């Protein structure tokens, strides 16, 4: 796995692999807690600790592995030739929004299916990037399929609404947190109170 990101195609590189591992562990750990403990104070507290630890771990991985300080895993993702600036912005906005929803979904600590299905796009991205590297999938195909995988947690949230009533709160809260982050609010100032209030 290259240490630096490949500039022209979405392929696995060292920082992405570490982030992928951290956030997959977060999802599976929160899923296991929800399955074993149910919607209990112990589950809520442990999920909050796991989520905050994953934020710290991802930052530490970035500090250690990022080669170019002007890039980020989402904002500088390569797109296909000829993509319009507006289309690229829409993809990036949706990707960023889904990252916030994924974190909130792991904090929900209610329905174990939700953090479990949140892990799917994380792992699916690695498979898609491998297919791009092997020239089996195009850059455009990567973005379309990855976007489709990000819709799956929405489906689970809507279908399991009775078992997962937090979904109605998570959707607007995710948008609010994304807006605050884009305005420069520190990620730890965002997530620490959210985790504590959960």
């Amino acid at each position: 796995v290259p240490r630096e990101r490949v500039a022209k195609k979405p392929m696995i590189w060292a920082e992405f692999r570490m982030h992928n591992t951290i956030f997959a562990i977060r999802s599976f750990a929160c899923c296991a807690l929800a399955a074993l403990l149910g919607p209990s104070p112990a589950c809520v507290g442990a999920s909050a600790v796991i989520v905050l630890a994953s934020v710290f771990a991802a930052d530490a991985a970035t500090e250690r592995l990022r080669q170019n300080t002007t890039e980020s895993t989402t904002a500088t993702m390569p797109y296909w030739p000829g993509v319009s600036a507006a289309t690229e912005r829409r993809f990036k906005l949706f990707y960023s929004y889904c990252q916030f929803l994924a974190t909130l979904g792991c904090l929900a600590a209610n329905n174990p299916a939700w953090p479990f299905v949140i892990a799917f796009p994380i792992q699916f991205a690695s498979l898609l990037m491998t297919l791009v590297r092997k020239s089996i999938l195009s850059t455009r195909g990567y973005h379309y399929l990855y976007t489709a995988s990000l819709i799956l947690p929405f489906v689970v949230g809507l279908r399991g609404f009775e078992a997962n009533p937090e979904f109605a709160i998570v959707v607007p809260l995710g948008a609010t947190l994304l807006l605050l982050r884009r305005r420069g609010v520190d990620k730890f100032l965002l997530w620490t109170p959210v985790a504590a209030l959960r």
Side-chain angles (χ1 to χ4, degrees):
V1 174
R3 191 169 173 86
E4 289 191 62
R5 163 182 250 155
V6 178
K8 295 185 179 180
K9 290 184 178 181
M11 298 183 196
I12 297 172
W13 73 105
E15 183 189 359
F16 170 86
R17 181 174 64 177
M18 187 57 68
H19 279 214
N20 184 287
T21 302
I22 290 165
F23 294 127
I25 290 170
R26 175 196 67 183
S27 289
F28 293 130
C30 290
C31 172
L33 284 170
L36 293 171
L37 302 177
S40 63
C43 181
V44 169
S47 295
V49 169
I50 288 167
V51 165
L52 290 175
S54 72
V55 174
F56 279 100
D59 260 21
T62 294
E63 182 69 27
R64 183 169 176 228
L65 297 171
R66 182 165 292 175
Q67 298 293 298
N68 182 348
T69 57
T70 62
E71 72 175 25
S72 80
T73 51
T74 300
T76 54
M77 177 68 73
Y79 286 79
W80 61 95
V83 65
S84 71
T87 297
E88 189 173 329
R89 279 195 305 273
R90 283 192 288 269
F91 273 104
K92 288 177 180 178
L93 181 62
F94 184 64
Y95 292 167
S96 296
Y97 177 56
C98 287
Q99 287 176 344
F100 279 86
L101 291 187
T103 304
L104 289 169
C106 288
L107 274 174
N110 194 353
N111 181 357
W114 210 11
F116 182 79
V117 80
I118 284 166
F120 175 72
I122 296 169
Q123 296 303 300
F124 192 51
S126 296
L127 171 62
L128 295 176
M129 287 183 177
T130 300
L131 295 177
V132 170
R133 183 175 59 82
K134 293 179 178 292
S135 299
I136 296 171
L137 185 66
S138 68
T139 300
R140 185 194 296 252
Y142 166 85
H143 285 286
Y144 284 1
L145 290 171
Y146 179 57
T147 298
S149 75
L150 289 170
I151 294 169
L152 188 58
F154 288 88
V155 175
V156 171
L158 288 169
R159 283 185 57 86
F161 191 73
E162 288 183 15
N164 207 32
E166 288 92 348
F167 186 72
I169 299 167
V170 163
V171 171
L173 180 57
T176 303
L177 293 172
L178 173 59
L179 178 63
L180 291 170
R181 184 72 182 117
R182 287 167 72 96
R183 294 197 174 192
V185 178
D186 182 79
K187 70 181 76 171
F188 298 106
L189 290 178
L190 287 178
W191 288 115
T192 302
V194 170
L197 290 170
R198 176 65 185 101

